[in-house]
Amino acid sequence: MQFFANVAGLIHLEMLLLQIFPGDSISWIFQIFFSLLFVVFVFYGQRIQMYILIREIEGSLLRLKFIRDEGRKIALKTIKEIGKSEVDPAERVDQFLEYVTIRPQSMDPAGIVWKLEHVLDVREERFKDEVKIMAPAADETNINNLENTLEAAAALNMIYKIIRHFYILGKKTLSLYIIMQIQMILPLIMREAEAYASALKAFSYGQPIGDGAGALVAAKLMQGRRKRKIEKDCIVAKVPIEGRIAYVIKAEGPGGNVGKPGEAIKRVIEENDGKISTIIMIDAALKLEGEKPGEVAEGVGAAIGGPGTEQYKIEESILKYKIPINAVIIKEDIGDAVSPMRKKIFEATEVAAERVRRVIKERTKEGDIIIIAGIGNTIGVGQ
Amino acid sequence: MNEETTATARRISSIVMIVIIVVLALSLSALYQAYDMFINEDPTMGYYLLIGFIGLALSTYMLLQTRRRMRRFTLKTPPITTTITCSKCGFKNVRDFERGDFIFKKLDSCSKCEGTMTISAIYREVKEKGKEHKIFG
Ligand SMILES: [Zn+2]
């Protein structure tokens, strides 16, 4: 009985379908096709979406791979050109790209600044020695530039490897969580990678970069004055400005170098027994989207980036003598900060220098001793 | 991993190309079929028209996708200019950046007078795109 009921039901269904879709087999095919499509999307929709996401990541990964390989090629070419080494530096460069730096343990954070600084010092020393072996004919400026170039190439290598890790992991596990989190931050990572790529080019040629805006302002202020070397890779010049005595500090150029301005400021403060009426720091700062590149802003506090050790040292020494600290910042985005300095930012250094003079006039009296520190990578900027 | 991926990528793209071409051919023939039916006033013409357009859209979309993937990757090199100024007479000379240039580098003496030439500026010219936000600017 059940069988007959089923058959009757099917016939009924067919008649119903024929009423809705009058005509021939084509309508049937369509009906089945769309029903199938519906079922496929209900059950496999997420999986299909996942494959689309994976393909998107794959496209970016190919681009990252290209950028990394290109970076390595440029670094290698520059080393060969400048270094004139007898042995092929390719193997050493590849080893360099894999270098790791292990950050100190922060469970008990007391004294971590000095531990971190020590690790970074060792790292820099190691890098410099490495570059000297790769490029024996390079002078001090070129060694600094090559080291910066290689560091940018290593950063690109790291970015590529991390994205590749998540791409392969996502493919293996087909976990939407892994795939989506990488896909979501991918636009920002691509921006950063492109920025590093242009940084690498600028470093290999020794061109000034946007980050060096602060150093350039200091260089302009100390033009034509006697300079002397001070604490690790920095120089200082005694400059009379508006009747005040200004110690202008910057990293020593024109090689790629940020120096240790914290150390230098501390030394100048101690040389003057803490009798500093104000410190003015000039640095490039990341702008928010919508702000114009090359905008100059003022504020207070230690305007300095990096791993934080130098900022800590400056804050420690100004606290000891209760010295007020002012900041003049030049705004730019991450791309401009590491690519060759664009005209707008170059012009902004003039505005920043003017602002520094204004701060001096408004915040100090004649005869005061002040410190002006231009922060940033001084590549391509002399003094 | 490296060579492998590129190899698979290439193999896949050739298979994809064949699929695209087949789909394109099928959808074009479906469209022709529909035209034929239109002449004969066949009511099922609409289905063929639908198939044809869906196929056409799908294949062109896939074609664009592969073309985007095959686009040559390049790293842009922006033009960098070096400005050299004479400190005495103010004579200015602008040329392309050369390796070894840096801001405040002293160069040979001026061609117009006896003053020294100094590199006064090195920067990158950026063509300003006129797509700044008008409302929130
Ligand atoms: Zn002249």
Side-chain angles (χ1 to χ4, degrees), chain A residues 24 26 30 55 58 62-63 65-66 70 78 81-82 160 164 168 201 204-205 207-208 219-220 223 254 336 339-344 346 380 382, chain B residues 1-2 6 44 47-48 50-51 65 69 73-78 80 97 99-104 106 120-126 128 132 137:
Chain A
D24 47 78
I26 284 196
F30 262 95
R55 269 182 67 88
E58 200 178 86
L62 277 173
R63 169 101 185 128
K65 184 174 182 295
F66 168 80
E70 205 60 15
T78 316
E81 247 173 59
I82 293 170
Y160 168 68
R164 184 181 67 182
I168 295 173
K201 274 198 165 171
S204 71
Y205 285 111
Q207 292 161 341
K220 280 183 173 175
Q223 262 316 285
D336 286 337
S339 15
M341 191 182 286
R342 63 190 274 187
K343 200 176 178 186
K344 270 194 172 173
F346 184 84
Chain B
M1 160 77 202
N2 305 341
T6 38
T44 46
Y47 292 122
Y48 280 95
L50 196 67
I51 294 182
Q65 279 276 308
R69 282 166 60 87
F73 290 135
T74 45
L75 284 182
K76 285 167 274 155
T77 320
I80 315 283
F97 178 89
R99 193 190 286 282
D101 283 359
F102 62 84
I103 301 177
F104 300 127
K106 302 256 183 300
S120 56
I122 296 171
Y123 52 74
R124 162 175 65 109
E125 298 263 17
V126 185
E128 298 300 334
E132 308 226 321

Coordinates of all heavy atoms in Angstrom, one line a residue, chain A residues 24 26 30 55 58 62-63 65-66 70 78 81-82 160 164 168 201 204-205 207-208 219-220 223 254 336 339-344 346 380 382, chain B residues 1-2 6 44 47-48 50-51 65 69 73-78 80 97 99-104 106 120-126 128 132 137:
Chain A
D24 N 8.7 21.3 -21.4 CA 9.5 20.0 -21.7 C 10.6 19.8 -20.7 O 10.6 20.4 -19.6 CB 10.1 20.2 -23.1 CG 10.7 21.5 -23.2 OD1 11.8 21.7 -22.7 OD2 10.1 22.5 -23.8
I26 N 13.6 20.7 -20.5 CA 14.6 21.8 -20.2 C 14.2 22.5 -18.9 O 15.0 22.7 -18.0 CB 14.6 22.9 -21.3 CG1 15.4 22.3 -22.5 CG2 15.2 24.2 -20.8 CD1 15.9 23.3 -23.5
F30 N 16.4 22.7 -15.4 CA 16.7 23.9 -14.7 C 16.2 23.8 -13.2 O 17.0 24.2 -12.3 CB 15.9 25.1 -15.3 CG 16.8 25.8 -16.2 CD1 16.8 25.6 -17.6 CD2 17.6 26.8 -15.7 CE1 17.7 26.3 -18.4 CE2 18.4 27.5 -16.5 CZ 18.5 27.2 -17.8
R55 N 42.6 31.7 -2.2 CA 43.1 32.2 -3.4 C 43.5 33.6 -3.3 O 44.5 34.0 -3.9 CB 42.0 32.0 -4.5 CG 42.1 30.7 -5.2 CD 41.1 30.6 -6.3 NE 41.4 31.6 -7.4 CZ 42.1 31.3 -8.5 NH1 42.7 30.1 -8.6 NH2 42.3 32.2 -9.4
E58 N 46.7 33.7 -1.7 CA 47.7 33.2 -2.6 C 48.3 34.3 -3.5 O 49.5 34.4 -3.7 CB 47.1 32.0 -3.4 CG 48.1 31.1 -4.0 CD 47.4 30.0 -4.8 OE1 47.0 30.2 -6.0 OE2 47.1 28.9 -4.2
L62 N 52.1 35.6 -3.6 CA 53.0 35.6 -4.8 C 53.6 37.0 -4.9 O 54.8 37.0 -5.2 CB 52.1 35.4 -6.1 CG 51.8 33.9 -6.4 CD1 50.9 33.8 -7.6 CD2 53.1 33.2 -6.8
R63 N 52.9 38.0 -4.7 CA 53.4 39.4 -4.7 C 54.5 39.5 -3.6 O 55.6 40.1 -3.9 CB 52.3 40.4 -4.5 CG 52.8 41.8 -4.3 CD 52.7 42.6 -5.5 NE 53.2 44.0 -5.3 CZ 54.1 44.5 -6.1 NH1 54.6 43.9 -7.1 NH2 54.6 45.7 -5.8
K65 N 56.3 37.2 -2.3 CA 57.5 36.4 -2.7 C 58.3 37.2 -3.8 O 59.5 37.3 -3.7 CB 57.0 35.1 -3.4 CG 58.2 34.2 -3.7 CD 57.6 32.8 -4.2 CE 58.6 31.8 -4.5 NZ 59.4 32.2 -5.7
F66 N 57.6 37.8 -4.7 CA 58.3 38.6 -5.7 C 59.1 39.8 -5.0 O 60.3 40.0 -5.3 CB 57.3 39.2 -6.7 CG 57.9 40.3 -7.6 CD1 58.7 39.9 -8.7 CD2 57.7 41.6 -7.3 CE1 59.2 40.9 -9.5 CE2 58.3 42.6 -8.1 CZ 59.1 42.2 -9.2
E70 N 63.1 40.2 -5.0 CA 63.6 41.4 -5.6 C 64.5 42.1 -4.6 O 65.6 42.6 -4.9 CB 62.5 42.3 -6.0 CG 62.8 43.3 -7.1 CD 63.2 42.6 -8.4 OE1 63.0 41.4 -8.6 OE2 63.7 43.3 -9.3
T78 N 74.0 45.3 -4.7 CA 74.7 46.4 -4.1 C 76.0 46.0 -3.3 O 77.0 46.6 -3.4 CB 73.8 47.1 -3.1 OG1 72.5 47.2 -3.7 CG2 74.3 48.5 -2.7
E81 N 78.6 45.3 -5.8 CA 79.1 46.5 -6.5 C 80.1 47.3 -5.5 O 81.1 47.7 -5.9 CB 77.9 47.4 -6.8 CG 77.7 47.6 -8.3 CD 76.4 48.4 -8.4 OE1 76.3 49.5 -7.9 OE2 75.5 47.9 -9.1
I82 N 79.6 47.4 -4.3 CA 80.4 48.3 -3.3 C 81.5 47.4 -2.6 O 82.6 47.9 -2.4 CB 79.4 48.9 -2.3 CG1 78.5 49.9 -3.0 CG2 80.2 49.6 -1.2 CD1 77.4 50.4 -2.1
Y160 N 57.2 37.5 4.4 CA 56.8 36.5 3.5 C 56.7 35.2 4.2 O 55.7 34.5 3.9 CB 57.9 36.4 2.4 CG 57.7 35.2 1.5 CD1 56.6 35.1 0.6 CD2 58.6 34.1 1.5 CE1 56.4 34.0 -0.1 CE2 58.5 33.0 0.7 CZ 57.4 32.9 -0.1 OH 57.2 31.8 -0.9
R164 N 53.3 33.0 4.5 CA 53.3 31.7 3.9 C 52.9 30.6 5.0 O 52.1 29.7 4.7 CB 54.7 31.4 3.4 CG 54.8 30.0 2.7 CD 56.2 29.8 2.2 NE 57.1 29.6 3.3 CZ 58.4 29.4 3.2 NH1 59.0 29.4 2.0 NH2 59.2 29.2 4.2
I168 N 49.7 28.1 4.4 CA 49.8 26.7 4.4 C 49.0 26.1 5.5 O 48.3 25.1 5.3 CB 51.3 26.2 4.4 CG1 52.1 26.7 3.2 CG2 51.4 24.7 4.5 CD1 53.6 26.5 3.2
K201 N 65.4 50.0 -1.4 CA 66.0 50.7 -2.6 C 66.7 51.9 -2.1 O 67.8 52.2 -2.6 CB 64.9 51.0 -3.6 CG 64.6 49.9 -4.5 CD 63.9 50.3 -5.8 CE 64.0 49.3 -6.8 NZ 63.1 49.6 -8.0
S204 N 69.9 51.2 -0.4 CA 71.0 50.7 -1.2 C 71.6 51.8 -2.0 O 72.8 51.7 -2.4 CB 70.4 49.6 -2.2 OG 69.6 50.1 -3.2
Y205 N 70.9 52.9 -2.3 CA 71.5 54.0 -3.0 C 72.0 55.1 -2.0 O 72.6 56.0 -2.4 CB 70.4 54.7 -3.9 CG 70.2 53.9 -5.2 CD1 69.0 53.2 -5.4 CD2 71.2 53.8 -6.2 CE1 68.7 52.5 -6.5 CE2 70.9 53.0 -7.3 CZ 69.7 52.4 -7.5 OH 69.5 51.7 -8.6
Q207 N 69.9 57.1 -0.3 CA 69.0 58.3 -0.4 C 68.4 58.6 0.9 O 68.0 57.7 1.7 CB 67.9 58.0 -1.4 CG 68.4 57.8 -2.9 CD 67.5 57.1 -3.8 OE1 66.6 56.4 -3.3 NE2 67.7 57.2 -5.1
P208 N 68.2 59.9 1.2 CA 67.5 60.3 2.4 C 66.1 59.8 2.4 O 65.4 59.8 1.4 CB 67.5 61.8 2.4 CG 67.8 62.2 1.0 CD 68.6 61.1 0.4
A219 N 70.4 69.1 11.1 CA 71.5 69.3 10.2 C 71.4 70.8 9.7 O 72.5 71.4 9.6 CB 71.5 68.3 9.1
K220 N 70.2 71.2 9.4 CA 70.1 72.6 8.9 C 70.5 73.6 10.0 O 71.1 74.6 9.7 CB 68.6 72.8 8.5 CG 68.3 72.3 7.1 CD 66.9 72.6 6.7 CE 66.7 72.2 5.2 NZ 65.3 72.3 4.8
Q223 N 74.3 73.9 10.5 CA 75.2 74.2 9.3 C 76.2 75.2 9.6 O 76.0 76.3 10.2 CB 74.3 74.7 8.2 CG 73.9 73.6 7.1 CD 75.1 72.7 6.8 OE1 76.0 73.2 6.0 NE2 75.1 71.5 7.3
P254 N 76.7 60.7 6.5 CA 75.4 60.4 5.8 C 75.1 58.9 5.7 O 74.2 58.6 4.9 CB 75.7 61.0 4.4 CG 77.2 60.8 4.2 CD 77.8 60.8 5.6
D336 N 55.8 56.8 3.3 CA 56.6 58.0 3.1 C 57.8 57.9 4.1 O 58.9 58.4 3.8 CB 55.9 59.3 3.3 CG 55.0 59.6 2.1 OD1 55.3 59.1 1.0 OD2 54.0 60.3 2.3
S339 N 60.3 55.5 2.5 CA 60.8 55.7 1.1 C 61.6 57.0 0.9 O 61.5 57.8 1.8 CB 59.6 55.6 0.1 OG 58.4 55.8 0.7
P340 N 62.2 57.2 -0.2 CA 63.0 58.4 -0.4 C 62.1 59.6 0.0 O 60.9 59.7 -0.4 CB 63.3 58.4 -1.9 CG 63.4 56.9 -2.2 CD 62.4 56.3 -1.3
M341 N 62.7 60.6 0.6 CA 62.0 61.7 1.2 C 61.2 62.5 0.1 O 61.8 62.8 -0.9 CB 63.0 62.7 1.9 CG 62.3 63.8 2.7 SD 63.5 64.9 3.4 CE 64.1 63.9 4.7
R342 N 59.9 62.6 0.3 CA 59.2 63.4 -0.8 C 59.3 64.9 -0.5 O 59.6 65.3 0.5 CB 57.8 62.9 -0.9 CG 56.9 63.1 0.3 CD 55.6 62.3 0.2 NE 54.6 63.1 -0.5 CZ 53.4 62.7 -0.6 NH1 53.0 61.6 -0.2 NH2 52.5 63.5 -1.3
K343 N 59.0 65.6 -1.6 CA 59.2 67.0 -1.6 C 58.5 67.7 -0.5 O 59.0 68.6 0.2 CB 58.8 67.6 -3.0 CG 59.3 69.0 -3.2 CD 59.0 69.5 -4.6 CE 59.5 70.9 -4.8 NZ 59.1 71.5 -6.1
K344 N 57.2 67.3 -0.3 CA 56.4 67.9 0.8 C 57.1 67.8 2.2 O 57.0 68.8 3.0 CB 55.0 67.2 0.8 CG 54.0 67.9 0.0 CD 52.6 67.4 0.3 CE 51.6 68.1 -0.4 NZ 50.2 67.5 -0.2
F346 N 60.3 67.3 2.7 CA 61.5 68.1 2.6 C 61.2 69.6 2.9 O 61.9 70.2 3.7 CB 62.2 68.0 1.2 CG 63.5 68.7 1.2 CD1 64.7 68.1 1.6 CD2 63.5 70.0 0.7 CE1 65.9 68.8 1.6 CE2 64.7 70.7 0.6 CZ 65.9 70.1 1.1
G380 N 71.7 59.6 3.9 CA 71.7 60.6 2.9 C 71.6 62.0 3.4 O 71.5 62.9 2.6
G382 N 73.9 64.7 5.4 CA 75.2 65.0 6.0 C 75.0 66.0 7.2 O 74.0 66.1 7.7
Chain B
M1 N 59.3 24.3 -1.7 CA 58.0 25.0 -1.7 C 58.0 26.0 -2.8 O 57.1 26.0 -3.6 CB 57.8 25.7 -0.3 CG 56.8 26.8 -0.3 SD 55.1 26.3 -0.3 CE 54.3 27.7 -0.9
N2 N 59.1 26.8 -2.9 CA 59.0 27.9 -3.9 C 58.7 27.5 -5.3 O 57.8 27.9 -5.9 CB 60.4 28.7 -3.8 CG 60.7 29.1 -2.4 OD1 59.8 29.2 -1.6 ND2 61.9 29.4 -2.2
T6 N 55.0 27.8 -7.9 CA 54.9 28.4 -9.2 C 54.5 27.4 -10.3 O 53.7 27.7 -11.1 CB 56.2 29.1 -9.6 OG1 57.3 28.3 -9.1 CG2 56.3 30.5 -9.0
T44 N 10.8 28.4 -25.3 CA 11.9 28.0 -24.4 C 13.2 28.8 -24.7 O 14.2 28.5 -24.0 CB 12.2 26.5 -24.5 OG1 12.2 26.2 -25.9 CG2 11.1 25.7 -23.8
Y47 N 15.4 30.3 -21.7 CA 16.3 29.4 -21.0 C 17.7 29.5 -21.6 O 18.7 29.6 -20.9 CB 15.9 28.0 -20.9 CG 14.6 27.9 -20.0 CD1 13.4 27.3 -20.5 CD2 14.7 28.3 -18.7 CE1 12.3 27.2 -19.7 CE2 13.5 28.2 -17.9 CZ 12.4 27.6 -18.4 OH 11.3 27.5 -17.6
Y48 N 17.7 29.3 -22.9 CA 19.0 29.3 -23.6 C 19.7 30.7 -23.5 O 20.9 30.8 -23.3 CB 18.8 29.0 -25.1 CG 18.7 27.5 -25.3 CD1 17.4 26.9 -25.4 CD2 19.8 26.7 -25.5 CE1 17.3 25.6 -25.6 CE2 19.7 25.4 -25.6 CZ 18.4 24.8 -25.7 OH 18.3 23.4 -25.9
L50 N 19.3 32.7 -21.0 CA 19.8 32.7 -19.6 C 21.2 32.0 -19.5 O 22.2 32.5 -19.0 CB 18.8 32.1 -18.6 CG 19.0 32.4 -17.2 CD1 18.7 33.9 -16.9 CD2 18.0 31.5 -16.3
I51 N 21.2 30.7 -20.0 CA 22.4 29.9 -19.9 C 23.5 30.7 -20.6 O 24.7 30.8 -20.1 CB 22.2 28.5 -20.6 CG1 21.2 27.7 -19.9 CG2 23.5 27.8 -20.7 CD1 21.0 26.3 -20.5
Q65 N 40.1 37.3 -13.8 CA 40.8 36.8 -12.6 C 42.2 36.3 -12.9 O 43.2 36.7 -12.3 CB 40.0 35.7 -11.9 CG 38.9 36.2 -11.1 CD 39.3 36.6 -9.7 OE1 40.0 35.8 -9.1 NE2 39.1 37.8 -9.3
R69 N 46.0 37.8 -12.2 CA 47.1 37.0 -11.5 C 48.4 37.0 -12.3 O 49.5 36.9 -11.8 CB 46.6 35.6 -11.3 CG 45.7 35.5 -10.1 CD 45.0 34.2 -10.1 NE 46.0 33.1 -10.1 CZ 46.5 32.6 -9.0 NH1 46.1 33.1 -7.8 NH2 47.3 31.6 -9.0
F73 N 54.6 41.5 -12.0 CA 54.9 42.3 -10.8 C 56.1 43.2 -11.1 O 57.1 42.8 -11.7 CB 55.3 41.3 -9.7 CG 54.2 40.5 -9.2 CD1 54.4 39.1 -9.0 CD2 53.0 41.1 -8.9 CE1 53.3 38.4 -8.5 CE2 51.9 40.3 -8.4 CZ 52.1 38.9 -8.2
T74 N 56.0 44.4 -10.6 CA 57.1 45.3 -10.7 C 57.3 46.1 -9.4 O 56.3 46.3 -8.7 CB 57.0 46.3 -11.9 OG1 55.6 46.8 -11.8 CG2 57.2 45.7 -13.2
L75 N 58.5 46.6 -9.2 CA 58.7 47.5 -8.1 C 59.0 48.9 -8.7 O 59.9 49.0 -9.6 CB 59.9 47.1 -7.2 CG 59.8 45.9 -6.3 CD1 61.0 45.7 -5.5 CD2 58.6 46.2 -5.3
K76 N 58.2 49.9 -8.3 CA 58.4 51.2 -8.9 C 59.6 51.9 -8.4 O 60.0 51.8 -7.2 CB 57.2 52.1 -8.6 CG 55.9 51.7 -9.4 CD 54.7 52.4 -8.8 CE 54.1 51.5 -7.7 NZ 53.4 52.2 -6.7
T77 N 60.3 52.6 -9.3 CA 61.5 53.4 -8.9 C 61.1 54.8 -9.2 O 61.1 55.3 -10.3 CB 62.7 53.0 -9.7 OG1 62.8 51.6 -9.9 CG2 64.0 53.5 -9.1
P78 N 60.8 55.6 -8.1 CA 60.4 57.0 -8.4 C 61.6 57.8 -8.7 O 62.7 57.5 -8.3 CB 59.8 57.4 -7.0 CG 60.5 56.5 -6.0 CD 60.8 55.2 -6.7
I80 N 64.3 60.6 -8.4 CA 64.8 61.3 -7.2 C 65.7 62.4 -7.8 O 66.5 62.1 -8.6 CB 65.7 60.4 -6.3 CG1 65.0 59.1 -6.0 CG2 66.0 61.2 -5.0 CD1 63.9 59.1 -5.0
F97 N 69.5 62.0 -9.1 CA 70.3 61.5 -8.0 C 71.3 60.5 -8.4 O 71.1 59.7 -9.3 CB 69.4 60.8 -6.9 CG 70.1 60.2 -5.8 CD1 70.3 61.0 -4.6 CD2 70.6 58.9 -5.8 CE1 71.0 60.5 -3.5 CE2 71.3 58.4 -4.7 CZ 71.5 59.2 -3.6
R99 N 74.5 57.8 -7.0 CA 75.1 57.2 -5.8 C 76.2 58.0 -5.2 O 77.1 58.5 -5.9 CB 75.6 55.8 -6.1 CG 75.8 54.9 -4.9 CD 76.5 53.7 -5.2 NE 75.7 52.7 -5.9 CZ 74.8 51.9 -5.3 NH1 74.7 52.0 -4.0 NH2 74.1 51.0 -5.9
G100 N 76.2 58.2 -3.9 CA 77.2 59.0 -3.2 C 76.7 60.4 -2.9 O 77.3 61.1 -2.1
D101 N 75.6 60.8 -3.4 CA 75.0 62.1 -3.1 C 74.5 62.1 -1.7 O 73.9 61.1 -1.3 CB 73.9 62.5 -4.0 CG 74.4 62.9 -5.4 OD1 75.6 63.0 -5.6 OD2 73.5 63.2 -6.3
F102 N 74.6 63.2 -1.0 CA 73.9 63.4 0.3 C 73.7 64.8 0.6 O 74.5 65.7 0.0 CB 74.6 62.6 1.5 CG 76.0 63.1 1.8 CD1 76.2 64.2 2.6 CD2 77.1 62.4 1.3 CE1 77.4 64.6 3.0 CE2 78.4 62.8 1.6 CZ 78.5 63.9 2.5
I103 N 72.7 65.2 1.3 CA 72.4 66.6 1.6 C 73.5 67.2 2.4 O 74.0 66.6 3.4 CB 71.0 66.7 2.4 CG1 69.9 66.0 1.6 CG2 70.7 68.1 2.7 CD1 68.6 66.0 2.3
F104 N 73.9 68.4 2.0 CA 75.1 69.1 2.6 C 76.4 68.6 2.2 O 77.4 68.9 2.8 CB 75.0 69.2 4.1 CG 73.8 69.9 4.6 CD1 72.9 69.3 5.6 CD2 73.4 71.1 4.1 CE1 71.8 69.9 6.0 CE2 72.2 71.8 4.5 CZ 71.4 71.2 5.5
K106 N 79.7 68.7 0.0 CA 80.4 69.8 -0.7 C 80.9 69.3 -2.0 O 81.5 68.2 -2.1 CB 81.6 70.3 0.1 CG 81.2 70.8 1.5 CD 81.3 72.3 1.6 CE 81.0 72.8 3.0 NZ 79.6 72.4 3.5
S120 N 71.9 70.9 -1.7 CA 71.0 71.6 -0.8 C 69.7 70.8 -0.6 O 69.0 70.9 0.4 CB 70.6 73.0 -1.2 OG 70.1 72.9 -2.5
A121 N 69.4 69.9 -1.5 CA 68.1 69.1 -1.4 C 68.2 67.8 -2.2 O 68.8 67.8 -3.3 CB 67.0 70.0 -1.9
I122 N 67.6 66.8 -1.6 CA 67.4 65.5 -2.4 C 66.0 65.1 -2.0 O 65.6 65.0 -0.9 CB 68.4 64.4 -1.9 CG1 69.8 64.8 -2.2 CG2 68.0 63.1 -2.6 CD1 70.9 63.8 -1.6
Y123 N 65.2 65.0 -3.0 CA 63.8 64.6 -2.7 C 63.1 63.9 -3.9 O 63.7 63.9 -5.0 CB 62.9 65.8 -2.2 CG 62.9 67.0 -3.1 CD1 62.2 67.0 -4.3 CD2 63.6 68.1 -2.8 CE1 62.2 68.1 -5.2 CE2 63.6 69.2 -3.6 CZ 62.9 69.2 -4.8 OH 62.9 70.3 -5.6
R124 N 62.0 63.3 -3.6 CA 61.2 62.6 -4.6 C 60.0 63.4 -5.0 O 59.3 63.9 -4.1 CB 60.8 61.2 -3.9 CG 59.7 60.5 -4.6 CD 59.6 59.2 -3.8 NE 59.2 59.3 -2.4 CZ 58.0 59.0 -2.0 NH1 57.1 58.5 -2.8 NH2 57.7 59.1 -0.7
E125 N 59.8 63.6 -6.2 CA 58.6 64.3 -6.7 C 57.5 63.3 -6.7 O 57.6 62.3 -7.3 CB 58.9 64.9 -8.1 CG 60.0 65.9 -8.2 CD 59.5 67.3 -8.1 OE1 58.4 67.5 -7.7 OE2 60.3 68.2 -8.5
V126 N 56.4 63.7 -6.1 CA 55.2 62.9 -6.1 C 54.1 63.6 -6.9 O 53.8 64.7 -6.6 CB 54.7 62.5 -4.7 CG1 53.5 61.6 -4.8 CG2 55.8 62.0 -3.9
E128 N 50.7 64.7 -7.3 CA 49.5 64.7 -6.4 C 48.3 64.2 -7.1 O 47.9 64.8 -8.1 CB 49.3 66.1 -5.8 CG 50.5 66.6 -5.0 CD 50.8 65.8 -3.8 OE1 49.9 65.1 -3.3 OE2 52.0 65.8 -3.4
E132 N 41.8 63.7 -3.0 CA 41.7 64.0 -1.5 C 40.3 64.2 -1.1 O 39.4 64.5 -1.9 CB 42.4 65.4 -1.3 CG 43.8 65.4 -1.9 CD 44.9 65.9 -0.9 OE1 44.5 66.9 -0.2 OE2 46.0 65.4 -0.9
G137 N 38.2 67.0 4.5 CA 39.6 67.5 4.3 C 40.0 68.5 5.3 O 39.2 69.1 6.0

